[in-house]
Amino acid sequence: MSRHGIITDTDKKYYSGSRDMKYIIANFKSNKNRPEHEAWMKVFRLSFPQFAKGKENLSVVLCPSAPFLSLTSDILREDDDNENVHLGSQDISPFPAGAYTGAVGTKNLEDLFVSYAIVGHSERRTYFHETNNDVANKVREARLASITPIVCVSRETISSQANALEDADRAHVMVAFEPIDHIGTGIADTLDDILKVRVLVKEAFGDVPFIYGGSVDPHTDKELLTHPDIDGFLIGSACLDAREFIQLIHLVS
Ligand code: PGA
């Protein structure tokens, strides 16, 4: 892995044309304190490696809250057999290193082996008033640091967000379709709807990995979970219990 980690084998494989990679991205949001996060990691480490053995096309991305990135990085590096597991940040500063109190920038993430960053999540857009331009700046910062941005969009922001990105950045992101009405509601969007949006995303961004997020859990329709045109899932509530998360990984991969 590189210092930040974009040159992971999984990325190399994806961008070199393998179309069957499945990404399962755990977004812990502002949940868990340190003992709870350590307990989660303990359960995950006990069960995940045996299950993942030989599954080269499975990429699990753990996005803990910022205070636990360092801890998670250290824990992941204790194991040699977790090449399917990567570290992601839930957000990233739109600014370079400097006087930006409270912001976590790419400089702060150096040497933590952060490979991915979620940007433009609807909760950031709603509660922190982030705009498409803010997201574009975050994408630029991430890319400069060789971190793969996972750009979240709703149906309404697909084309405006794609247009806000620099041409050079647009083809190097992953796009997560996150319909606001389906986040945290317990009811995922329909496969039909998701596949229609996938077409719009490919038109606007090009042939980038397409992720779906919004109430995905082990009860989600199996056809949706295993559909070959969906490159992965962004999981909120259903990642908080490590056993439920691993069960979900079983169903997807
Ligand atoms: P949810 O969250 O799985 O709890 O709906 C998904 C997300 O916000 O990424």
Side-chain angles (χ1 to χ4, degrees):
M1 262 192 280
S2 69
R3 258 192 330 177
H4 282 294
I6 197 177
I7 316 298
T8 59
D9 288 346
T10 46
D11 285 335
K12 266 196 242 154
K13 211 178 310 157
Y14 190 92
Y15 286 111
S16 66
S18 166
R19 310 312 292 176
D20 52 0
M21 182 64 69
K22 277 279 182 189
Y23 297 91
I24 305 177
I25 305 157
N27 178 6
F28 293 81
K29 307 191 180 182
S30 300
N31 293 293
K32 299 200 185 294
N33 57 23
R34 184 176 169 125
E36 288 165 351
H37 187 64
E38 282 173 334
W40 191 100
M41 289 299 296
K42 197 168 169 190
V43 174
F44 181 76
R45 282 171 82 195
L46 280 177
S47 344
F48 182 73
Q50 306 105 282
F51 166 71
K53 247 194 182 85
K55 289 191 186 283
E56 290 184 357
N57 293 333
L58 172 66
S59 191
V60 172
V61 182
L62 303 183
C63 304
S65 55
F68 307 133
L69 280 168
S70 184
L71 169 74
T72 311
S73 181
D74 291 346
I75 294 174
L76 289 178
R77 270 180 293 164
E78 280 171 27
D79 300 330
D80 317 317
D81 53 358
N82 62 13
E83 49 186 47
N84 310 66
V85 188
H86 306 280
L87 190 56
S89 171
Q90 291 178 18
D91 186 32
I92 208 159
S93 172
F95 302 113
Y100 303 101
T101 300
V104 176
T106 57
K107 174 83 180 165
N108 311 119
L109 301 179
E110 274 178 15
D111 293 311
L112 295 186
F113 300 93
V114 169
S115 308
Y116 298 89
I118 300 171
V119 292
H121 192 283
S122 64
E123 287 150 15
R124 303 279 330 162
R125 293 178 193 259
T126 303
Y127 302 125
F128 301 89
H129 311 291
E130 286 183 7
T131 64
N132 287 332
N133 282 339
D134 296 328
V135 175
N137 289 332
K138 289 171 185 229
V139 167
R140 188 201 54 231
E141 282 300 308
R143 292 242 307 129
L144 284 172
S146 298
I147 291 174
T148 302
I150 303 166
V151 179
C152 300
V153 293
S154 63
R155 196 188 269 267
E156 293 71 30
T157 54
I158 296 169
S159 63
S160 55
Q161 183 61 76
N163 290 336
L165 298 185
E166 306 264 334
D167 290 344
D169 288 339
R170 201 173 301 113
H172 293 96
V173 300
M174 290 166 53
V175 174
F177 168 49
E178 295 248 319
I180 294 165
D181 293 352
H182 293 276
I183 296 177
T185 59
I187 302 168
D189 205 346
T190 61
L191 178 58
D192 197 41
D193 238 18
I194 296 169
L195 293 179
K196 279 186 190 139
V197 169
R198 177 182 178 274
V199 173
L200 303 177
V201 165
K202 300 270 171 186
E203 275 167 15
F205 287 85
D207 195 17
V208 298
F210 174 77
I211 308 296
Y212 168 75
S215 297
V216 174
D217 64 27
H219 307 290
T220 301
D221 183 16
K222 180 91 180 159
E223 202 189 343
L224 196 167
L225 291 180
T226 55
H227 199 285
D229 289 342
I230 303 175
D231 298 306
F233 299 96
L234 188 46
I235 315 291
S237 321
C239 79
L240 297 178
D241 179 305
R243 288 179 190 84
E244 187 179 4
F245 183 58
I246 290 169
Q247 192 191 348
L248 189 50
I249 297 172
H250 275 264
L251 293 167
V252 169
S253 54

